[in-house]
């Protein structure tokens, strides 16, 4: 029987987090539901938030730097009721 062992080395930082009791209780229950630790849960939630924010920032920068083909050439736009 062959077994494969993969080791991923990532540098991790230990941090102390202060939260309300109700938040800590939710975190413990959510971590248990996901079969993980509160520490890992918080790390995963923050990593997900970071990826979301990075993707949003990239999309916004892309949109802001895009050439606008619909920009006015100096003429007035047609009135709303005009066809």
């Amino acid at each position: 029987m062959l077994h494969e062992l993969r080791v991923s080395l990532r540098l991790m930082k230990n941090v102390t987090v202060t939260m309300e009791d109700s938040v800590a209780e939710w975190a413990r229950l959510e971590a248990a539901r996901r079969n993980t630790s509160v520490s890992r849960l918080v790390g995963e939630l923050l990593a997900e938030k970071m990826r979301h924010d990075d993707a949003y920032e990239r999309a916004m920068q892309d949109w802001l730097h895009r050439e606008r083909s619909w920009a006015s050439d100096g003429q007035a736009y047609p009135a709303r009721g005009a066809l």
Side-chain angles (χ1 to χ4, degrees), residues 12 32 66 70 73 80:
M12 301 270 191
R66 218 180 277 171
W70 43 264
D73 59 0
R80 283 186 178 255

Side-chain angles (χ1 to χ4, degrees), residues 5-83:
L5 176 64
R6 293 184 184 198
V7 177
S8 175
L9 296 177
R10 292 185 289 171
L11 295 177
M12 301 270 191
K13 293 285 185 185
N14 288 326
V15 297
T16 300
V17 179
T18 303
M19 62 186 82
E20 295 177 8
D21 288 344
S22 61
V23 175
E25 180 62 22
W26 176 88
R28 283 190 290 274
L29 292 171
E30 186 64 18
R33 188 179 70 76
R34 296 183 187 198
N35 197 29
T36 190
S37 66
V38 171
S39 179
R40 183 157 310 248
L41 173 67
V42 171
E44 289 172 358
L45 291 172
L46 289 173
E48 181 180 325
K49 171 79 170 125
M50 180 185 70
R51 286 188 299 273
H52 176 269
D53 289 357
D54 287 350
Y56 179 85
E57 180 66 25
R58 283 191 308 274
M60 184 172 69
Q61 290 302 319
D62 178 56
W63 186 85
L64 289 173
H65 292 96
R66 218 180 277 171
E67 187 175 326
R68 306 287 179 234
S69 60
W70 43 264
S72 170
D73 59 0
Q75 296 180 9
Y77 288 113
R80 283 186 178 255
L83 291 176

